[in-house]
């Protein structure tokens, strides 16, 4: 057992570790691409991107093509893309072309990695595609303030019986990063998800709309808590959140473009059928969302997948503009 004087010296050393030194120690545990590292160091706009949409969201090679197109949109709008994944046990912030190709070709054999799974995947030197909660963790670790995704997880329908609530919501409640998404997936219970986000003190605003969007469609029937109308509006909210040292995150919900919005009743009908099939086949937990999205895509003849790709690209456009506006304020 350590002596009291030894414990005192350890405590003194711990108290003298600066936040910068602690942050540098954390950064040494991940691989940051030179481009992303340079952008962060020089205060340039960076946009974090998750990787589950690549490995589990669509088939190869469509997933690779979409990932490249999303990164191109980010670049064209003045920001640097930082796609995040775990490869051979190493968390990677920013993937090169070879790494993107590998992740896309491995597809569903890559473990879908939420926040709770990170240590397991790293310890086993495995490959992990990060969900919203895991991507938030790594983006926060290196100081990225803006994260673009398709849609976040939420409170599942019948959660009062299953207790199935996505860790995305609690991660947002404790990670001060702005997430740009198309709202909440229509396979979820949207009103309960908004209530849970309020409980987690997450700032939620719809982009150029008074109504919270429902992923595939522009409207959910739920009023958004707040409204923002420009990238500059969003940047000022993020900046204020940072300066006030709030530890909760921000959700900017961007409606899918009108020309790509699928008919809401078609999507809802397919969703109800997919939910019934999931219960009959006892599909639960982390396997449920990929099953539901794939089944809805089948039932709608590919309409939902086309809408999914369109909304991700639109989110990348808006998210990049927000990141650039933020870099001009800081």
């Amino acid at each position: 057992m350590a002596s009291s004087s030894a414990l005192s010296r350890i405590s003194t050393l711990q108290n003298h570790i600066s936040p910068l030194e602690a942050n540098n120690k954390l950064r040494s545990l991940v691989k940051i691409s030179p481009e992303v590292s340079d952008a962060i160091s020089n205060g340039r706009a960076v946009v974090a991107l998750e990787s589950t949409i690549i490995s589990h969201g669509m088939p190869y090679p469509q997933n690779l093509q979409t990932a490249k197109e999303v990164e191109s949109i980010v670049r064209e709008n003045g920001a640097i893309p930082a796609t995040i994944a775990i490869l051979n046990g190493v968390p990677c912030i920013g993937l090169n072309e070879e790494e993107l190709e590998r992740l896309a070709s491995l597809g569903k054999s890559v473990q879908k990695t939420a926040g709770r799974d990170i240590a397991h995947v790293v310890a086993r030197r495995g490959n992990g595609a990060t969900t919203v909660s895991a991507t938030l963790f790594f983006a926060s670790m290196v100081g990225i303030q803006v994260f673009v995704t398709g849609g976040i997880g939420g409170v599942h329908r019948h959660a009062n019986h299953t207790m199935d609530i996505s860790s995305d919501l609690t991660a947002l409640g404790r990670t001060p990063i702005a997430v740009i998404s198309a709202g909440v997936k229509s396979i979820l219970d949207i009103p309960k998800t908004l209530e849970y986000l309020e409980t987690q003190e997450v700032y939620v605003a719809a982009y150029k709309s008074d109504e919270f969007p429902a992923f595939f469609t522009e409207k959910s029937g739920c009023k958004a808590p707040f409204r923002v109308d420009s990238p500059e509006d969003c940047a000022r909210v993020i900046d204020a959140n940072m300066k006030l040292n709030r530890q909760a995150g921000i959700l900017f919900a961007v409606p899918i473009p009108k020309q790509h919005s699928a008919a809401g009743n078609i999507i809802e009908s397919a969703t109800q059928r997919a939910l019934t099939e999931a219960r009959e086949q006892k599909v639960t937990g982390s396997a449920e969302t990929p099953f539901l999205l794939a089944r809805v895509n089948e039932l709608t003849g590919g309409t939902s997948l086309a809408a999914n790709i369109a909304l991700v690209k639109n989110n990348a456009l808006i998210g990049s503009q927000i990141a650039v506006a933020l870099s001009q304020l800081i």
Side-chain angles (χ1 to χ4, degrees):
M1 184 174 177
S3 68
S4 59
S5 60
L7 290 173
S8 177
R9 287 196 298 272
I10 292 170
S11 177
T12 300
L13 284 170
Q14 289 175 334
N15 290 336
H16 281 80
I17 294 175
S18 69
L20 179 61
E21 288 172 322
N23 192 45
N24 287 338
K25 185 176 181 181
L26 283 173
R27 286 192 181 195
S28 70
L29 301 175
V30 303
K31 174 187 171 186
I32 310 177
S33 75
E35 181 183 36
V36 172
S37 180
D38 179 71
I40 293 172
S41 298
N42 290 288
R44 295 179 59 198
V46 180
V47 172
L49 301 167
E50 54 137 308
S51 49
T52 296
I53 193 171
I54 301 172
S55 62
H56 290 68
M58 57 195 77
Y60 180 84
Q62 189 176 26
N63 57 353
L64 178 61
Q65 179 184 347
T66 301
K68 288 182 175 179
E69 289 173 352
V70 169
E71 287 203 348
S72 293
I73 290 169
V74 173
R75 293 183 195 283
E76 288 165 6
N77 286 276
I80 301 299
T83 300
I84 296 175
I86 302 173
L87 298 174
N88 295 331
V90 179
C92 300
I93 318 288
L95 303 184
N96 59 35
E97 192 167 334
E98 180 182 343
E99 290 166 336
L100 267 179
E101 168 75 41
R102 180 183 170 201
L103 187 69
S105 61
L106 286 172
K108 294 182 180 179
S109 67
V110 176
Q111 181 168 337
K112 183 180 178 182
T113 306
R116 68 163 190 180
D117 308 313
I118 292 171
H120 179 80
V121 176
V122 170
R124 294 174 66 89
R125 299 181 182 177
N127 297 314
T130 56
T131 64
V132 169
S133 62
T135 306
L136 279 168
F137 175 80
F138 289 121
S140 176
M141 179 187 289
V142 300
I144 299 173
Q145 298 296 327
V146 177
F147 164 33
V148 164
T149 185
I152 65 167
V155 178
H156 282 252
R157 302 187 189 195
H158 312 296
N160 53 319
H161 298 297
T162 65
M163 292 299 291
D164 193 349
I165 300 172
S166 173
S167 62
D168 292 354
L169 304 185
T170 48
L172 260 169
R174 62 175 178 240
T175 313
I177 288 179
V179 176
I180 290 79
S181 83
V184 176
K185 297 180 179 74
S186 57
I187 58 176
L188 303 171
D189 188 319
I190 296 175
K192 284 188 176 66
T193 298
L194 287 171
E195 287 290 344
Y196 198 93
L197 285 166
E198 180 184 1
T199 300
Q200 294 295 313
E201 297 187 18
V202 176
Y203 173 94
V204 178
Y207 190 78
K208 295 185 177 180
S209 175
D210 294 315
E211 189 166 338
F212 191 78
F215 195 66
F216 291 122
T217 60
E218 300 166 80
K219 298 182 181 298
S220 66
C222 299
K223 188 178 186 303
F226 299 100
R227 172 178 176 142
V228 285
D229 288 295
S230 70
E232 292 73 23
D233 280 351
C234 298
R236 284 190 286 270
V237 171
I238 300 169
D239 186 50
N241 201 60
M242 292 166 58
K243 287 177 177 175
L244 291 166
N245 197 30
R246 290 194 73 249
Q247 295 307 301
I250 293 167
L251 176 63
F252 293 122
V254 181
I256 186 172
K258 289 183 187 297
Q259 66 269 32
H260 297 292
S261 182
N265 59 340
I266 295 175
I267 295 290
E268 182 60 24
S269 175
T271 298
Q272 290 297 336
R273 180 172 169 183
L275 284 164
T276 299
E277 292 176 3
R279 286 194 295 273
E280 291 172 349
Q281 298 177 36
K282 294 181 170 53
V283 180
T284 59
S286 62
E288 184 177 27
T289 295
F291 172 86
L292 292 172
L293 291 177
R295 190 68 184 116
V296 169
N297 184 56
E298 291 172 5
L299 293 170
T300 59
T303 298
S304 65
L305 179 57
N308 196 347
I309 293 172
L311 66 83
V312 170
K313 290 180 178 179
N314 187 57
N315 292 346
L317 167 66
I318 303 301
S320 303
Q321 294 172 346
I322 293 171
V324 170
L326 179 63
S327 70
Q328 295 169 350
L329 285 179
I330 299 175

